[in-house]
Amino acid sequence: MTQRALTEYNLCQSLDDLMNLDPRGYGVCRILYAASRAVAGEPTTLAAGRALCAALANGGIAHIITGFVLPANRCGEMDGIVGSAMLARALARACGAKSLLAVPDECLDAMRAVLRVAGLHVYGDVEAMLRFPNSACVVAISKDAAIAARQAASLAAACRPAAAIAVEAPGANAKGVYHNAVGLDVTELEAKSDALFIHLQSLGVPTFAIGDLGNEIGMGAIGEALLRRVPRAAPGRCGCPCGGGIAAATAADHLITATASDWGAYALAAAIALLSGAPD
């Protein structure tokens, strides 16, 4: 191992450690990290960061999927939104990549605002994003599964991405039901963003995911650990009539788990800065 490789390994391990600090004694983050670290075989930010930089080495487009709608007020939560904006910024600075961000209707305004704060020009259509520099596009994904599937095919055709990244995006379980953290069925509330993620997987696009519980897109990569150790993940444990548990069925190629998904996104952005030699 060269000194450079050793430095990257150790710094990315520090990023992994930081994003999994557990100040409230939550416990789940340590369970998830042990599983995701075992799958990666090295620091998860190093594995994902290296693969993401390689996929976008010549610029290109990333599809970033985020946005979890909360039943209490039917608004989108901010975890995932801020981290996705920082990832889009990091990919623009480090790789010259552009990002299409797919969110539920409830998250459109917040996503646009945070991207602008991050220094990106924001458009509502793919054509404008492709035409102008330092830009991102924000689109809404339907809550209707059939419409979402058509949107997925259309978006992939309009701008075939070099990478797909899900950040704190709700993922359906094996029965097609979406849950929140306490096991409530929130299928009606959530955008069916799995359709885009799964469609891009079928096209051979490398997939990345960031989650903090197990009910997020991509977390099926550590499905066995979720079912064995995470509360409400296993079949019969969600408490809702579906009886399928909260664990998401989709499995990402590269998975990052953290105490909060935004923390994982910040850590991945830092890894991209390190690995690409672009500290800004």
Side-chain angles (χ1 to χ4, degrees):
M1 181 178 284
T2 65
Q3 181 58 55
R4 173 67 184 177
L6 180 61
T7 298
E8 290 175 349
Y9 182 97
N10 284 319
L11 287 177
C12 285
Q13 185 61 61
S14 293
L15 291 172
D16 280 23
D17 294 342
L18 285 168
M19 71 186 182
N20 282 287
L21 289 174
D22 192 11
R24 57 179 171 153
Y26 182 49
V28 171
C29 53
R30 300 190 188 281
I31 293 169
L32 298 180
Y33 179 66
S36 59
R37 178 65 166 77
V39 169
E42 59 185 348
T44 59
T45 50
L46 178 60
R50 187 193 295 118
L52 195 51
C53 286
L56 294 164
N58 299 313
I61 297 165
H63 283 194
I64 302 177
I65 301 166
T66 192
F68 216 121
V69 179
L70 303 175
N73 52 16
R74 298 197 168 225
C75 291
E77 70 170 335
M78 285 306 294
D79 188 27
I81 299 295
V82 182
S84 293
M86 297 311 297
L87 267 181
R89 177 188 184 278
L91 293 173
R93 295 291 181 91
C95 307
K98 296 182 177 182
S99 295
L100 180 148
L101 294 104
V103 302
D105 281 322
E106 292 86 345
C107 296
L108 281 170
D109 289 344
M111 192 75 258
R112 292 171 183 146
V114 180
L115 284 167
R116 291 189 181 105
V117 171
L120 296 174
H121 303 297
V122 183
Y123 301 97
D125 64 277
V126 171
E127 189 176 310
M129 177 190 72
L130 295 176
R131 188 184 315 133
F132 298 112
N134 196 43
S135 60
C137 172
V138 183
V139 299
I141 297 295
S142 177
K143 300 180 192 301
D144 181 282
I147 295 173
R150 293 195 293 271
Q151 288 178 313
S154 177
L155 289 171
C159 61
R160 172 77 172 262
I165 311 164
V167 185
E168 187 65 16
N173 68 8
K175 294 189 173 185
V177 178
Y178 299 75
H179 296 84
N180 68 359
V182 297
L184 293 177
D185 180 347
V186 292
T187 305
E188 173 197 2
L189 294 177
E190 307 304 340
K192 305 307 181 285
S193 303
D194 313 58
L196 179 57
F197 194 84
I198 292 168
H199 182 68
L200 295 176
Q201 277 186 321
S202 74
L203 298 177
V205 175
T207 57
F208 303 78
I210 302 174
D212 59 22
L213 179 61
N215 58 337
E216 303 94 354
I217 290 174
M219 293 291 283
I222 55 169
E224 183 180 341
L226 295 178
L227 299 182
R228 189 174 68 251
R229 301 197 62 192
V230 173
R232 301 188 182 278
R237 298 291 300 279
C238 56
C240 89
C242 89
I246 71 169
T250 48
D253 298 324
H254 299 276
L255 178 64
I256 285 177
T257 62
T259 303
S261 292
D262 271 349
W263 293 11
Y266 303 153
L268 179 56
I272 291 166
L274 169 68
L275 297 169
S276 65
D280 64 330

